Amino acid sequence: MLLFARYFERFRMRGRLFFLALMQLAAGLITWSVTVPFAFYLNPIDWAMLAILFPAQLAILAVLLINGFEFVEVLWHRRWQRHFPLLDALPPERQPFVSIHLACYNEPPEMVIATLDSLAALDYAHFEVLVIDNNTKDEAVWKPVEAHCVELGERFRFFHLAPWPGFKAGALNYGLQQTDARAEVVAVIDADYVVRPDWLSRLCGYFENPKVAVVQCPQAHRDFEHNMFRRMTAWEFDGFFRIGMHHRNERNAIIQHGTMTMVRRSALERDGGWSEWTICEDAELGLRLMHAGYDLVYVDEVMGQGLTPADFTAYKSQRYRWAFGAMQILKARWGWMTQPGPLTPGQRFHFLTGWFSWFADALHLVFTLMALIWTALMLLFPQYFSLPLKLFLIPVLSFFVAKAVLGIWLYRKRVPCSWRDTLMAAIASMGLSHAIARGIWLGLVKRKGEFVRTAKQRRLRDRPSAFASVREELFMVIGLAIAIVGMVLLFGSKYEESKLWVAILVAQSIPYLAALIGAWLAHREGERVG
């Protein structure tokens, strides 16, 4: 604790005291949990519950300390050590040639054309745009984009690949082969992004430093203000780029994203291009470049805006893909993250612990299922299975409260949205818990995943039912509701333990209820933008 207080003197005193209190709380709780068997008589059922809840408490405390460190650094830092502002534009003779790559599959042509028009308006002397359409079957979708590239002139080149392997990474690797020999920087943008005219001119100066391999801007969104579902997801996305990316940037450990990103071409080619074995090729490339000794720069300035996912199905599938891909990277690069090497301790810390919140979602699913089973056993066989001691339950319930309070507090300080938007963003985030849990567990046991395009527009003639995308979450809500009613009918309010157990079941149901709310709002609001 003293080492932390001294090493992080750049934090304000109240921040250091806050985190030291968290550390003391964690140490005290672990000590108390270890001594419980010596202070209380435990029957075999109590021992079984202790065996389940003690590892859960360790995981909870790890997540709480990691989130607490982020909270303290973001809220109470004196100044950012690695702050990267927009730069003055370089004179044309010093501007590096930039090759902009736009990979797309089955995207609405008018959406892609809007992106191309914004690129045509760039205030930059030396650039080209490569549009790589991979595996779109309907000519009515890709032909208008090809025609528009011809209209925009020789700077814009269109490639239609069919069939082509490797998902988005495969398309980007093909684009790399077609890149103009003069290009020193490769920029990647999603098909729905409209960029500022000064995107390249205000950022390319960072590549004059030979150690810089990546310049990353935040993902941001447009046309969401009057659609409640799109609005809540837009603000949910915004939180990571206002909070988590700054926290990681302090130790040169940002997550590279597949849009609004610029990469030094020589570093990209020397390190093998885009990895086609993972469905998160962008984050994996960033990690590889850090391992190669390069710096990654995060400029927290909105230089382009895209569209939010069209519906809850698209929203869930995108986060599932990120969680699955994260596990692919974790398995493939485990040695990099756990053993001394080119990665700094700070980089290893962030790439190991940065996904802990997602592991918490995975564990939440496991413990919810276990709580349902235990509740069923108590209801069916009360003579054999009893309520856990309240001493086991209070720390678990306190974690739910603490995590919610810290998250909302940090959001209010860092994200420029209203209280209502903050709460709706929290609902959106919690509603993804089940999708993330599935992505984590399947990513750990499966080797390959399918890259599913995140739909920004659906154009469905027959809209599915509101809850078609959240059937599993609906079953979980029903199961938890039955468990809660059964507990109330059997135990009433006679015991403190029964009230605490019901409170835990209610807390466990919140993410699944949030998913139902998100799916219903997406269905009600439809696909309208603006």
Side-chain angles (χ1 to χ4, degrees):
M1 292 173 67
L2 292 175
L3 287 174
F4 173 86
R6 179 163 181 78
Y7 186 76
F8 289 99
E9 287 182 343
R10 59 190 178 84
F11 294 175
R12 299 184 190 279
M13 180 59 70
R14 55 190 167 183
R16 283 182 282 167
L17 291 175
F18 181 88
F19 195 74
L20 290 174
L22 276 184
M23 294 173 69
Q24 181 63 50
L25 175 66
L29 187 57
I30 292 172
T31 303
W32 170 82
S33 297
V34 170
T35 60
V36 162
F38 304 101
F40 299 91
Y41 171 76
L42 302 182
N43 61 36
I45 299 298
D46 292 329
W47 276 105
M49 185 58 68
L50 179 63
I52 293 170
L53 289 180
F54 184 66
Q57 286 182 359
L58 292 179
I60 283 171
L61 290 173
V63 172
L64 189 61
L65 287 172
I66 290 163
N67 288 349
F69 178 53
E70 178 185 66
F71 177 84
V72 167
E73 180 167 59
V74 173
L75 198 60
W76 285 311
H77 66 280
R78 298 182 192 277
R79 61 180 178 82
W80 293 119
Q81 296 184 113
R82 298 180 81 242
H83 172 65
F84 300 102
L86 293 177
L87 303 176
D88 293 333
L90 295 173
E93 63 272 13
R94 286 173 55 193
Q95 291 180 355
F97 192 99
V98 179
S99 183
I100 303 171
H101 295 180
L102 190 161
C104 56
Y105 162 69
N106 205 32
E107 301 286 5
E110 67 275 10
M111 184 180 77
V112 183
I113 287 170
T115 297
L116 296 177
D117 287 342
S118 74
L119 294 174
L122 283 170
D123 181 17
Y124 196 78
H126 312 299
F127 74 95
E128 66 170 356
V129 177
L130 274 58
V131 181
I132 308 106
D133 181 278
N134 61 322
N135 300 311
T136 300
K137 296 179 180 179
D138 188 352
E139 289 191 358
V141 173
W142 64 265
K143 279 287 187 181
V145 178
E146 181 183 41
H148 197 69
C149 286
V150 173
E151 291 178 13
L152 290 173
E154 60 182 12
R155 272 184 168 171
F156 290 75
R157 291 189 282 155
F158 181 90
F159 304 90
H160 176 66
L161 311 178
W164 197 257
F167 306 114
K168 182 179 179 180
L172 291 175
N173 281 330
Y174 178 85
L176 197 56
Q177 297 170 12
Q178 307 303 319
T179 296
D180 191 298
R182 296 171 293 170
E184 299 176 50
V185 175
V186 172
V188 179
I189 185 174
D190 278 350
D192 58 309
Y193 266 69
V194 173
V195 301
R196 278 173 41 172
D198 58 347
W199 172 38
L200 301 183
S201 62
R202 301 295 300 276
L203 296 174
C204 276
Y206 281 110
F207 288 101
E208 292 199 317
N209 179 354
K211 280 188 63 65
V212 171
V214 172
V215 177
Q216 178 73 56
C217 286
Q219 290 186 12
H221 298 91
R222 57 186 167 87
D223 298 337
F224 62 80
E225 290 82 359
H226 303 296
N227 181 308
M228 188 174 291
F229 172 71
R230 288 185 182 270
R231 186 183 184 97
M232 68 192 287
T233 57
W235 287 119
E236 189 272 330
F237 281 117
D238 207 50
F240 176 72
F241 292 94
R242 302 275 183 169
I243 299 168
M245 284 287 273
H246 282 281
H247 179 52
R248 300 178 71 110
N249 189 52
E250 284 292 85
R251 281 156 288 279
N252 188 29
I254 66 170
I255 295 288
Q256 185 178 1
H257 288 74
T259 189
M260 302 307 299
T261 190
M262 303 163 67
V263 190
R264 187 181 297 277
R265 180 186 183 180
S266 59
L268 175 59
E269 292 181 331
R270 188 181 302 119
D271 224 41
W274 302 91
S275 293
E276 298 181 23
W277 54 264
T278 174
I279 55 176
C280 283
E281 72 291 328
D282 42 10
E284 195 277 337
L285 174 64
L287 178 60
R288 261 191 294 135
L289 293 173
M290 292 174 206
H291 189 265
Y294 287 103
D295 288 344
L296 279 68
V297 167
Y298 177 58
V299 181
D300 188 9
E301 183 75 27
V302 174
M303 302 301 284
Q305 295 173 304
L307 298 174
T308 59
D311 52 32
F312 202 75
T313 299
Y315 187 45
K316 277 182 58 178
S317 69
Q318 182 186 59
R319 204 59 57 94
Y320 168 86
R321 173 168 60 84
W322 291 353
F324 190 103
M327 295 305 98
Q328 288 180 308
I329 296 169
L330 187 67
K331 291 186 296 184
R333 306 302 185 195
W334 179 255
W336 290 6
M337 300 180 199
T338 57
Q339 300 170 12
L343 293 179
T344 66
Q347 289 169 334
R348 296 202 305 274
F349 167 80
H350 280 293
F351 275 91
L352 276 174
T353 65
W355 292 314
F356 265 35
S357 291
W358 286 358
F359 277 112
D361 289 311
L363 291 174
H364 178 270
L365 174 60
V366 171
F367 285 113
T368 299
L369 293 173
M370 293 176 68
L372 286 171
I373 293 170
W374 193 270
T375 303
L377 292 172
M378 286 192 294
L379 296 176
L380 295 173
F381 308 105
Q383 67 274 30
Y384 300 114
F385 295 91
S386 59
L387 287 161
L389 292 173
K390 66 179 179 181
L391 298 174
F392 298 155
L393 302 180
I394 291 174
V396 177
L397 196 57
S398 299
F399 168 75
F400 285 110
V401 176
K403 196 168 185 295
V405 170
L406 292 181
I408 291 175
W409 187 355
L410 197 52
Y411 233 81
R412 295 301 304 143
K413 291 292 185 179
R414 292 291 301 172
V415 182
C417 62
S418 67
W419 264 104
R420 182 185 182 189
D421 287 327
T422 299
L423 295 175
M424 294 304 292
I427 291 172
S429 177
M430 289 187 293
L432 295 169
S433 176
H434 187 68
I436 291 169
R438 292 184 73 253
I440 293 294
W441 290 119
L442 290 176
L444 286 172
V445 300
K446 292 177 66 176
R447 184 168 175 266
K448 292 185 178 181
E450 182 180 356
F451 188 106
V452 178
R453 178 183 70 92
T454 303
K456 306 300 173 68
Q457 295 180 11
R458 287 289 193 193
R459 298 181 174 182
L460 298 177
R461 293 181 181 177
D462 299 318
R463 294 173 65 191
S465 67
F467 302 118
S469 62
V470 288
R471 290 190 180 95
E472 293 179 4
E473 290 91 333
L474 180 59
F475 288 141
M476 294 295 285
V477 167
I478 293 171
L480 286 162
I482 293 171
I484 291 168
V485 171
M487 288 294 300
V488 171
L489 292 177
L490 181 62
F491 293 101
S493 58
K494 292 186 293 184
Y495 307 108
E496 289 292 326
E497 288 84 354
S498 66
K499 289 187 283 187
L500 287 170
W501 188 255
V502 168
I504 285 177
L505 292 174
V506 170
Q508 288 178 321
S509 70
I510 291 173
Y512 305 107
L513 287 169
L516 300 186
I517 293 171
W520 177 74
L521 284 174
H523 182 80
R524 189 192 73 176
E525 297 293 295
E527 296 182 36
R528 60 189 174 88
V529 296

